[in-house]
Amino acid sequence: MVGNQVERQKILDIRNLRIELKGRRERLAVVDGVSLSVSQGETLGIVGESGCGKSVLSLSMLGLLPKAMEINGGEIWYGEREDEAQPLHLLKPKELRKIRGREVAMVFQDPMSSLNNSLTIGYQVTEGLRLHLGYSRQEAAAQAIELFRKVGLARPEKLLKEYPHQLSGGMRQRVMIAIAIACNPGLLIADEPTTALDVTIQAQILEVMRQIRDQDGTSIVLISHDLGLIAEMCDRIAVMYAGRIVEEGSVADIFDRPRHPYTIGLLNSIPSPSHKGHRLHSIPGAVPALHERSVGCNFAPRCQYAMECCRIEQPKLSPVGFGHTTSCFLVVEEGVRKGDNRNTADRAEGTGEVLYETSVAAEGTGAASR
Amino acid sequence: MNYYARRLVTLFLTVLFVVVLTFTAFRIIPGNPALAILGTEASNEQIALLEAKLGTDRPLLVQFGHWLGNAALLDFGESLRFSEPVLKLIVSRVPVTLSLALLALVISVCTAVPLGILAAKSHGKKWDALISIGTQFGLAIPSFWMGIILILVFGLTLRWFSVSSYVPWSESPILALKSIVLPAVALAIPQIAVIVRYLRTTMLEQLNLDYVRTARSKGLSERSIQYIHVLKNALLPVITIVGINFGELLAGSLVIEQVFTLPGFGSLLITAIGNRDYPLVQGLVLLIAVTVIIINFIVDLSYRWLDPKIRLK
């Protein structure tokens, strides 16, 4: 990768991470050679279809992988300062517990099931404060009220004694965020934080997260399948496909200069008013199952530009612009042919346009043949 | 009507139903209290005379109405066999049976909860397998046989506990406790097996739920996740089982009392049934029914504490 984000300290640095399913003869990788980094105060979006490994990746950052999976290769480093970076992939459970909730916190997808129904909201929020910061009951309760205010919950005092079932979905997700930010973590991981909520509430929850980022300088990893949401919140976007990162760049890179056919497919699938009356584009096929993944590019079977080399060899993530990388032979070949970096970018933009049109055309024929 | 009023009405109706059932059942089955008292040698005149005295010659409905009216005033009549007030007979036996059942309950819950947690914790490992085998035995072995074995081992061989010499609580609580420990253990064993299996299953179910992941993401230790977050959720179905099984515990104690010759309800009820001592049988059944119903009511109340979603309305 080119030296992007040079001035800012990396708070999270994932290097060539491989997560496998345990106890099988053939080693199936759920996450395969992922490298990512998040800088202080930065918001990174990870986008991809269901089953691409983005949730597993996020759980690995907390050492919370399901029992059936294990890290087999690669590194995860976390630290607010370089000299105190800790290798999360090596830590013992006890050491990991000190980081969870204190340094790295997580907001989960479904606020209806992610809270414990038989404990009060107050207890669930103050638990972390008492554990990590050694607060007394009263101190923790006072801090919890502050947190409730911060995430925009009304009547915070009363909330302490209430139970999750008494709250709406949006309120519960605010509570989840309050729990996550309770100990003022350096990194907040939000795995599909708004998927289970309706649209108006989604906007409110995003606003809360934006405020936290701006006020506390918390770095955020936002995981979603919703590109629109990612675009609204994030500084950088990593597009994940079948356990690998296929493209990474700034929001502008991804939206204005997408290079990977998969990214382009995703962008084409966003409904927009100008496309009213047209059939919404969808990428044909589905994410290959773990055992169907090949040595080559995993997107090749669904890619209309797939070449011979795509099926034999895995394209490497290569720079196509400043801080913009992609793993596609098509794009890399362009770069090699032109030999000039700047021209490549222009050229690529052109390719992007062409891709967009052809994909629409392809979809047209698809519909006709149906 | 509020929740409690409705509960009271159903409670009353259940008791009434139980009373009617025992009343009619005992009149239908063959046998006759006068005959039981006088023996088979008695003449018809003697029997008729005694029946008139006991009131068993009157129409059933009259007898029932009479009994019910008195029972409402806590007068359960006089035992035909012992010629003593039923209430007095029952009250004298209450401490034995009740303490036996309660001790068995305490033993079973106190042993089963840690064992259930242990089994769930070590899911698929050594302890889980051992506990699973143990509970199989616990379920399969009848408690009266277990009682006999306990007497043999701890009473006669090791001589840790005195056998067949019940000491009333009023005399010496320590000796009284000593005399009911073995029967309580015998009673508790099948209960332990049931509770352990239930708790293990519900704990394992709970451990897979999302809120456990949230708790882990806070950095809580597995211990506090299991004991605070999971246990409270997993206990709900277990409480139900414990409550329902309390009736079974009482029934079991009737048998176990025979094995250990404890002067509880068991011996009283069996004598009463053998002698067709209607007032005594009815009084005992009424008391047992009311106890079970009250226990179930307490179980319902405990839901409220465990699951705030259940509103008692």
Side-chain angles (χ1 to χ4, degrees):
Chain A
M1 263 183 272
V2 202
N4 52 338
Q5 316 289 347
V6 258
E7 306 90 16
R8 287 197 283 182
Q9 163 65 34
K10 280 179 186 172
I11 194 165
L12 180 78
D13 195 6
I14 297 177
R15 296 175 200 158
N16 204 16
L17 184 70
R18 187 177 163 90
I19 299 171
E20 287 179 348
L21 278 183
K22 259 195 265 185
R24 287 168 180 263
R25 252 178 290 130
E26 24 162 12
R27 311 221 50 125
L28 298 175
V30 185
V31 169
D32 189 3
V34 164
S35 296
L36 273 179
S37 66
V38 184
S39 307
Q40 206 109 41
E42 186 187 41
T43 304
L44 171 74
I46 301 179
V47 72
E49 279 169 282
S50 317
C52 72
K54 53 193 197 298
S55 287
V56 169
L57 179 64
S58 70
L59 288 173
S60 75
M61 298 174 201
L62 276 164
L64 276 179
L65 283 180
K67 274 188 189 139
M69 296 177 194
E70 65 185 349
I71 294 178
N72 188 18
E75 297 167 15
I76 308 172
W77 290 85
Y78 170 84
E80 299 208 34
R81 290 215 315 270
E82 199 170 359
D83 49 334
E84 55 189 36
Q86 303 193 63
L88 297 190
H89 58 289
L90 294 177
L91 291 186
K92 294 192 184 78
K94 202 181 160 193
E95 297 165 320
L96 264 175
R97 283 205 294 270
K98 281 189 191 147
I99 291 189
R100 285 184 204 143
R102 173 78 191 86
E103 309 276 355
V104 185
M106 191 148 181
V107 176
F108 293 97
Q109 178 171 356
D110 186 359
M112 301 319 252
S113 62
S114 293
L115 288 168
N116 190 335
N117 277 326
S118 59
L119 297 171
T120 60
I121 300 290
Y123 183 85
Q124 297 184 59
V125 175
T126 54
E127 208 172 16
L129 288 166
R130 286 162 55 197
L131 175 76
H132 292 299
L133 306 180
Y135 280 23
S136 71
R137 247 167 230 275
Q138 289 86 346
E139 286 170 337
Q143 180 62 29
I145 291 173
E146 276 309 303
L147 287 165
F148 290 152
R149 290 220 174 87
K150 203 166 176 178
V151 297
L153 280 162
R155 49 189 188 85
E157 288 85 2
K158 282 208 175 134
L159 219 52
L160 283 177
K161 292 229 171 347
E162 286 184 6
Y163 288 90
H165 73 270
Q166 291 166 279
L167 309 184
S168 67
M171 287 171 84
R172 287 194 203 193
Q173 196 60 304
R174 285 171 199 263
V175 169
M176 282 298 297
I177 295 176
I179 290 174
I181 62 166
C183 300
N184 197 11
L187 178 66
L188 182 65
I189 301 163
D191 184 5
E192 306 260 9
T194 61
T195 307
L197 306 171
D198 58 59
V199 185
T200 45
I201 309 293
Q202 283 189 9
Q204 292 172 14
I205 294 293
L206 284 186
E207 189 50 42
V208 168
M209 289 184 48
R210 211 175 279 135
Q211 268 176 27
I212 290 158
R213 180 188 58 188
D214 296 343
Q215 284 172 14
D216 304 339
T218 313
S219 309
I220 296 178
V221 174
L222 180 63
I223 290 147
S224 182
H225 62 270
D226 181 351
L227 264 172
L229 183 145
I230 297 260
E232 250 181 88
M233 273 292 289
C234 301
D235 305 312
R236 268 185 323 119
I237 301 177
V239 181
M240 235 179 134
Y241 185 79
R244 292 169 186 160
I245 306 272
V246 294
E247 185 159 10
E248 192 195 338
S250 69
V251 173
D253 287 337
I254 300 295
F255 275 81
D256 304 337
R257 296 177 288 279
R259 304 300 302 273
H260 197 283
Y262 179 63
T263 315
I264 292 162
L266 277 185
L267 288 167
N268 278 331
S269 321
I270 303 176
S272 80
S274 60
H275 274 71
K276 205 176 170 187
H278 295 271
R279 181 180 279 271
L280 188 63
H281 174 74
S282 67
I283 305 170
V287 181
L290 289 178
H291 61 271
E292 293 165 1
R293 295 184 186 170
S294 64
V295 282
C297 173
N298 277 321
F299 189 60
R302 300 171 76 185
C303 179
Q304 48 184 314
Y305 308 103
M307 299 174 287
E308 203 47 48
C309 57
C310 297
R311 301 183 207 280
I312 300 163
E313 197 185 336
Q314 161 71 21
K316 290 197 173 60
L317 264 178
S318 322
V320 287
F322 183 73
H324 186 183
T325 54
T326 190
S327 67
C328 180
F329 286 122
L330 195 67
V331 181
V332 174
E333 260 182 25
E334 292 269 333
V336 170
R337 204 159 57 215
K338 291 306 283 182
D340 175 46
N341 220 10
R342 181 160 165 67
N343 273 352
T344 315
D346 292 344
R347 176 77 194 192
E349 219 165 313
T351 325
E353 295 289 326
V354 173
L355 284 178
Y356 174 78
E357 279 163 18
T358 40
S359 65
V360 169
E363 188 242 347
T365 43
S369 65
R370 235 176 283 144
Chain B
M1 257 200 301
N2 75 7
Y3 175 79
Y4 297 96
R6 264 188 301 146
R7 273 314 295 247
L8 271 171
V9 170
T10 46
L11 198 146
F12 177 76
L13 288 176
T14 317
V15 171
L16 197 68
F17 179 73
V18 169
V19 167
V20 171
L21 204 64
T22 38
F23 192 91
T24 44
F26 271 86
R27 297 314 196 272
I28 291 165
I29 58 170
N32 175 326
L35 205 64
I37 293 169
L38 296 171
T40 42
E41 306 289 294
S43 69
N44 284 349
E45 290 78 32
Q46 283 176 304
I47 290 174
L49 208 66
L50 191 62
E51 275 186 343
K53 197 181 147 217
L54 298 174
T56 47
D57 60 339
R58 290 178 295 169
L60 274 187
L61 260 179
V62 176
Q63 285 186 41
F64 184 66
H66 185 70
W67 182 82
L68 206 60
N70 286 337
L73 304 169
L74 288 180
D75 174 10
F76 299 101
E78 202 167 84
S79 158
L80 305 181
R81 174 78 173 77
F82 299 100
S83 306
E84 267 185 88
V86 166
L87 195 62
K88 196 181 151 207
L89 277 171
I90 291 178
V91 166
S92 69
R93 305 293 184 102
V94 162
V96 184
T97 303
L98 207 63
S99 60
L100 181 59
L102 284 178
L103 185 66
L105 186 74
V106 170
I107 291 174
S108 54
V109 172
C110 290
T111 339
V113 170
L115 280 178
I117 295 172
L118 179 64
K121 249 191 204 170
S122 51
H123 177 45
K125 296 198 189 107
K126 190 182 77 186
W127 278 109
D128 187 22
L130 282 177
I131 291 170
S132 173
I133 294 168
T135 54
Q136 284 284 9
F137 276 107
L139 284 173
I141 295 169
S143 54
F144 68 86
W145 186 83
M146 182 55 77
I148 294 169
I149 296 299
L150 287 177
I151 291 175
L152 201 67
V153 176
F154 295 102
L156 299 179
T157 313
L158 297 171
R159 295 189 176 280
W160 289 356
F161 297 93
S162 56
V163 178
S164 75
S165 64
Y166 174 74
V167 183
W169 289 89
S170 51
E171 224 170 81
S172 161
I174 295 168
L175 287 179
L177 189 66
K178 248 185 140 179
S179 63
I180 63 163
V181 164
L182 282 188
V185 168
L187 262 181
I189 284 173
Q191 300 295 323
I192 293 173
V194 173
I195 300 171
V196 165
R197 297 191 144 227
Y198 244 81
L199 188 59
R200 176 183 172 274
T201 315
T202 54
M203 289 263 303
L204 287 177
E205 273 168 19
Q206 294 285 331
L207 278 169
N208 282 325
L209 296 182
D210 287 350
Y211 75 83
V212 174
R213 199 178 53 185
T214 309
R216 289 205 178 109
S217 80
K218 290 184 203 171
L220 301 177
S221 65
E222 282 302 304
R223 204 184 164 77
S224 60
I225 290 172
Q226 272 154 355
Y227 283 86
I228 298 170
H229 282 259
V230 173
L231 191 58
K232 210 174 165 193
N233 286 298
L235 274 182
L236 196 64
V238 173
I239 293 266
T240 316
I241 287 300
V242 171
I244 290 170
N245 277 7
F246 190 78
E248 216 169 88
L249 218 52
L250 278 177
S253 73
L254 301 184
V255 177
I256 273 298
E257 277 167 15
Q258 297 301 302
V259 177
F260 286 84
T261 57
L262 292 174
F265 287 170
S267 49
L268 195 62
L269 189 61
I270 287 166
T271 324
I273 293 170
N275 289 298
R276 298 292 178 273
D277 192 340
Y278 300 143
L280 190 53
V281 171
Q282 276 155 220
L284 276 167
V285 171
L286 181 67
L287 181 89
I288 292 171
V290 169
T291 315
V292 170
I293 289 167
I294 288 174
I295 293 286
N296 282 341
F297 183 58
I298 294 172
V299 167
D300 279 3
L301 288 182
S302 69
Y303 286 166
R304 194 189 159 85
W305 172 71
L306 281 167
D307 187 354
K309 251 194 237 177
I310 297 172
R311 292 274 140 225
L312 302 183
K313 272 180 195 151

